[in-house]
Amino acid sequence: MESPVTGSTAFQFPPLSQCSGPSVAPPSTCYDLEDLVTVSVNEADNVKVFRMPRQLLRWHSAYFAAALDPEGGFVKEGVKELHIEDNIQAFEAFFCWIFTGKLKDVVPPTDGAKATDAYLSLHTICNVWFFGELRGIPALKNVAIDMLHERCCAKWVWLSGCIKLVYENTVEGSQLRKYIVDMTTRTISVGGILAVSKDLLTVDFLRDILPIYANRAQGGVSPLGQKDWAGQDRCKWHDHSGPGGKLRLESRK
């Protein structure tokens, strides 16, 4: 479910903020096509198989840095396979990002056909963020936040249908919770919150937003519009700790 903030026509973006965190670009040695692994992703008895460079996975992800460590017993009798339980759509987005830097390939219009939507669904973007958190991939969480922010701005929708999903899959203080709280309290009026079905809200979410509304009411702060929200510095929702796998490997030295 998406809640429109207001009616909106095609939106002209102001300059979007660029991440000021450290570079996460891997060295060329990570693209060793002679050192590939097979990752089988299982979700509710559905399985999809991905072939990926082992060192590239180990660079970006703290989880894969450990799981694919040959000294830890991963390589056995020449078999290089890893089986995980996870969201397949989230892994597909990760697979696209690890090679292209983007969560989704966008096909331009040809011969009268429409271009594909530039964005993943709100739920899929959240699942990508959960995957990045679970597998220790800070940079993936950051691009998920950026797509979430851009999608909300382009379509000018609020994430009312994602509140329960996010609060059930994150911990207090997470950047994704902070994004939802910030967007809610900066762009939605109290009346807008009261109009939302209580089934979409959680107690923890209300505890996070109500003190902010109470403080802002005293100052008479008005909700931000579409353009002002698009101009926000997205680094306040980022994790700037760097490549997760590289950090794990360095910590062992």
Coordinates of all heavy atoms in Angstrom, one line a residue, residues 63-101:
Y63 N 29.2 -11.1 6.0 CA 28.7 -12.5 6.1 C 29.4 -13.3 5.1 O 29.9 -14.4 5.4 CB 27.1 -12.5 5.8 CG 26.6 -13.9 5.5 CD1 26.4 -14.7 6.6 CD2 26.5 -14.4 4.2 CE1 25.9 -16.0 6.4 CE2 26.0 -15.7 4.0 CZ 25.7 -16.5 5.0 OH 25.3 -17.8 4.8
F64 N 29.5 -12.9 3.8 CA 30.1 -13.7 2.8 C 31.6 -13.8 3.0 O 32.3 -14.8 2.6 CB 29.8 -13.2 1.4 CG 28.4 -13.5 1.0 CD1 27.5 -12.4 0.8 CD2 28.0 -14.8 0.8 CE1 26.2 -12.7 0.4 CE2 26.6 -15.1 0.4 CZ 25.7 -14.0 0.2
A65 N 32.2 -12.8 3.6 CA 33.6 -12.8 3.9 C 33.9 -14.0 4.8 O 35.0 -14.7 4.7 CB 34.1 -11.5 4.6
A66 N 33.0 -14.3 5.8 CA 33.2 -15.5 6.7 C 32.7 -16.8 6.0 O 33.4 -17.8 6.1 CB 32.4 -15.2 7.9
A67 N 31.6 -16.7 5.4 CA 31.0 -17.9 4.8 C 31.8 -18.5 3.7 O 31.8 -19.7 3.4 CB 29.6 -17.7 4.3
L68 N 32.5 -17.6 2.9 CA 33.3 -18.1 1.8 C 34.8 -18.1 2.0 O 35.6 -18.1 1.1 CB 33.0 -17.2 0.6 CG 31.5 -17.1 0.1 CD1 31.3 -16.1 -1.0 CD2 31.0 -18.5 -0.2
D69 N 35.2 -18.2 3.3 CA 36.6 -18.2 3.7 C 37.1 -19.6 3.4 O 36.7 -20.6 4.1 CB 36.7 -17.8 5.1 CG 38.2 -17.7 5.6 OD1 39.1 -18.0 4.8 OD2 38.4 -17.3 6.7
P70 N 38.1 -19.8 2.5 CA 38.6 -21.2 2.3 C 39.3 -21.7 3.5 O 39.3 -22.9 3.8 CB 39.6 -21.0 1.2 CG 39.9 -19.5 1.1 CD 38.7 -18.8 1.6
E71 N 39.9 -20.8 4.4 CA 40.5 -21.3 5.6 C 39.5 -21.8 6.6 O 39.8 -22.5 7.6 CB 41.4 -20.2 6.2 CG 42.6 -19.8 5.3 CD 43.4 -18.8 5.9 OE1 43.2 -18.4 7.0 OE2 44.4 -18.3 5.2
G72 N 38.2 -21.4 6.4 CA 37.2 -21.8 7.3 C 36.5 -23.0 6.9 O 35.5 -23.5 7.5
G73 N 37.0 -23.6 5.8 CA 36.4 -24.9 5.3 C 35.4 -24.8 4.2 O 34.7 -25.8 3.9
F74 N 35.3 -23.6 3.6 CA 34.3 -23.5 2.5 C 34.6 -24.4 1.3 O 33.7 -25.1 0.8 CB 34.1 -22.0 2.1 CG 33.3 -21.9 0.8 CD1 31.9 -22.1 0.9 CD2 33.8 -21.5 -0.4 CE1 31.1 -22.0 -0.3 CE2 33.1 -21.4 -1.5 CZ 31.7 -21.7 -1.5
V75 N 35.8 -24.3 0.9 CA 36.2 -25.1 -0.3 C 36.5 -26.5 0.1 O 37.5 -26.7 0.8 CB 37.4 -24.4 -1.0 CG1 37.8 -25.3 -2.2 CG2 37.1 -23.0 -1.5
K76 N 35.7 -27.4 -0.3 CA 35.9 -28.8 0.1 C 35.7 -29.7 -1.1 O 34.7 -29.7 -1.8 CB 34.9 -29.2 1.2 CG 35.1 -30.6 1.7 CD 34.0 -30.9 2.8 CE 34.2 -32.3 3.3 NZ 33.2 -32.6 4.4
E77 N 36.7 -30.4 -1.5 CA 36.7 -31.3 -2.6 C 36.3 -30.6 -3.9 O 35.6 -31.2 -4.7 CB 35.8 -32.5 -2.3 CG 36.2 -33.3 -1.1 CD 35.2 -34.5 -0.8 OE1 34.2 -34.5 -1.5 OE2 35.5 -35.3 0.1
G78 N 36.8 -29.4 -4.0 CA 36.5 -28.7 -5.3 C 35.1 -28.1 -5.4 O 34.8 -27.5 -6.5
V79 N 34.3 -28.3 -4.5 CA 32.9 -27.8 -4.6 C 32.8 -26.4 -4.0 O 33.2 -26.2 -2.9 CB 31.9 -28.7 -3.9 CG1 30.5 -28.2 -3.9 CG2 32.0 -30.1 -4.5
K80 N 32.2 -25.5 -4.8 CA 32.1 -24.1 -4.3 C 30.6 -23.7 -4.4 O 30.2 -23.0 -5.3 CB 33.0 -23.2 -5.1 CG 34.5 -23.4 -5.0 CD 35.2 -22.4 -5.8 CE 36.7 -22.5 -5.6 NZ 37.5 -21.5 -6.4
E81 N 29.9 -24.1 -3.4 CA 28.5 -23.9 -3.4 C 28.1 -23.4 -2.0 O 28.6 -23.8 -1.0 CB 27.6 -25.1 -3.7 CG 27.8 -25.6 -5.1 CD 27.0 -26.8 -5.4 OE1 26.2 -27.2 -4.5 OE2 27.0 -27.3 -6.5
L82 N 27.1 -22.4 -2.0 CA 26.6 -21.9 -0.7 C 25.1 -21.8 -0.8 O 24.6 -21.3 -1.8 CB 27.2 -20.5 -0.4 CG 26.8 -19.9 0.9 CD1 27.5 -20.6 2.1 CD2 27.3 -18.4 1.0
H83 N 24.4 -22.3 0.2 CA 23.0 -22.3 0.3 C 22.5 -21.4 1.4 O 22.9 -21.6 2.6 CB 22.4 -23.7 0.5 CG 22.9 -24.7 -0.6 ND1 22.1 -25.0 -1.7 CD2 24.0 -25.5 -0.7 CE1 22.7 -25.8 -2.5 NE2 23.9 -26.2 -1.9
I84 N 21.6 -20.4 1.1 CA 21.1 -19.5 2.1 C 19.6 -19.4 2.0 O 19.0 -19.7 0.9 CB 21.8 -18.1 2.0 CG1 21.4 -17.4 0.6 CG2 23.3 -18.2 2.1 CD1 21.8 -16.0 0.6
E85 N 19.0 -19.1 3.1 CA 17.6 -18.8 3.1 C 17.4 -17.3 3.1 O 17.9 -16.6 4.0 CB 16.9 -19.3 4.4 CG 17.0 -20.9 4.6 CD 15.9 -21.6 3.8 OE1 14.9 -20.9 3.5 OE2 16.0 -22.8 3.6
D86 N 16.8 -16.7 2.1 CA 16.6 -15.3 2.0 C 15.6 -14.9 1.0 O 15.0 -15.8 0.3 CB 17.9 -14.6 1.7 CG 18.1 -13.3 2.5 OD1 17.2 -12.5 2.5 OD2 19.2 -13.2 3.2
N87 N 15.3 -13.6 0.9 CA 14.4 -13.1 -0.1 C 15.0 -13.1 -1.5 O 16.0 -12.4 -1.7 CB 13.9 -11.7 0.4 CG 12.9 -11.1 -0.5 OD1 13.2 -10.5 -1.6 ND2 11.6 -11.2 -0.1
I88 N 14.4 -13.8 -2.4 CA 15.0 -13.9 -3.7 C 15.0 -12.6 -4.5 O 16.0 -12.2 -5.1 CB 14.2 -15.0 -4.6 CG1 14.5 -16.3 -4.0 CG2 14.6 -14.9 -6.0 CD1 13.7 -17.5 -4.7
Q89 N 13.9 -11.8 -4.4 CA 13.9 -10.5 -5.1 C 15.0 -9.6 -4.5 O 15.7 -8.8 -5.2 CB 12.6 -9.8 -4.9 CG 11.5 -10.4 -5.8 CD 10.2 -9.7 -5.7 OE1 9.8 -9.2 -4.7 NE2 9.5 -9.6 -6.9
A90 N 15.3 -9.6 -3.2 CA 16.3 -8.8 -2.6 C 17.7 -9.3 -3.1 O 18.5 -8.4 -3.4 CB 16.3 -8.9 -1.1
F91 N 17.9 -10.6 -3.2 CA 19.2 -11.1 -3.7 C 19.3 -10.7 -5.2 O 20.4 -10.4 -5.7 CB 19.3 -12.6 -3.6 CG 20.7 -13.0 -3.6 CD1 21.5 -13.2 -2.4 CD2 21.4 -13.2 -4.8 CE1 22.8 -13.6 -2.5 CE2 22.7 -13.6 -4.9 CZ 23.4 -13.8 -3.7
E92 N 18.3 -10.7 -6.0 CA 18.3 -10.3 -7.4 C 18.8 -8.8 -7.5 O 19.6 -8.5 -8.4 CB 17.0 -10.5 -8.1 CG 16.6 -11.9 -8.3 CD 15.2 -12.0 -8.9 OE1 14.4 -11.1 -8.6 OE2 14.8 -13.1 -9.5
A93 N 18.3 -8.0 -6.6 CA 18.7 -6.6 -6.6 C 20.2 -6.5 -6.2 O 20.9 -5.7 -6.8 CB 17.8 -5.8 -5.7
F94 N 20.6 -7.3 -5.2 CA 22.0 -7.3 -4.8 C 22.9 -7.8 -5.9 O 23.9 -7.2 -6.2 CB 22.1 -8.2 -3.6 CG 23.5 -8.6 -3.2 CD1 24.4 -7.6 -2.8 CD2 23.9 -9.9 -3.2 CE1 25.7 -7.9 -2.5 CE2 25.2 -10.2 -2.8 CZ 26.1 -9.2 -2.4
F95 N 22.4 -8.8 -6.6 CA 23.2 -9.3 -7.8 C 23.4 -8.2 -8.8 O 24.5 -8.0 -9.4 CB 22.5 -10.5 -8.4 CG 23.2 -11.2 -9.5 CD1 24.2 -12.1 -9.3 CD2 22.8 -10.9 -10.8 CE1 24.8 -12.7 -10.3 CE2 23.5 -11.5 -11.9 CZ 24.5 -12.5 -11.6
C96 N 22.3 -7.5 -9.1 CA 22.4 -6.4 -10.1 C 23.4 -5.3 -9.6 O 24.2 -4.8 -10.3 CB 21.0 -5.8 -10.3 SG 20.9 -4.4 -11.6
W97 N 23.2 -4.9 -8.3 CA 24.0 -3.8 -7.7 C 25.5 -4.2 -7.7 O 26.4 -3.3 -8.0 CB 23.5 -3.5 -6.3 CG 24.4 -2.6 -5.6 CD1 24.5 -1.3 -5.7 CD2 25.4 -3.0 -4.6 NE1 25.5 -0.8 -4.8 CE2 26.0 -1.8 -4.1 CE3 25.7 -4.2 -4.0 CZ2 27.0 -1.8 -3.1 CZ3 26.7 -4.2 -3.0 CH2 27.3 -3.0 -2.6
I98 N 25.8 -5.4 -7.4 CA 27.2 -5.8 -7.2 C 28.0 -5.6 -8.5 O 29.2 -5.4 -8.5 CB 27.4 -7.2 -6.6 CG1 28.6 -7.3 -5.7 CG2 27.3 -8.3 -7.6 CD1 28.7 -8.5 -4.9
F99 N 27.3 -5.7 -9.6 CA 28.0 -5.6 -10.9 C 27.8 -4.2 -11.5 O 28.7 -3.7 -12.3 CB 27.5 -6.6 -11.9 CG 27.9 -8.0 -11.6 CD1 27.0 -8.9 -11.1 CD2 29.2 -8.4 -11.7 CE1 27.4 -10.2 -10.8 CE2 29.6 -9.7 -11.4 CZ 28.7 -10.6 -10.9
T100 N 26.7 -3.5 -11.2 CA 26.4 -2.3 -11.9 C 26.3 -1.0 -11.0 O 26.3 0.1 -11.5 CB 25.0 -2.4 -12.6 OG1 23.9 -2.4 -11.6 CG2 24.9 -3.6 -13.5
G101 N 26.2 -1.2 -9.7 CA 26.1 -0.1 -8.8 C 24.6 0.3 -8.7 O 24.4 1.3 -8.0

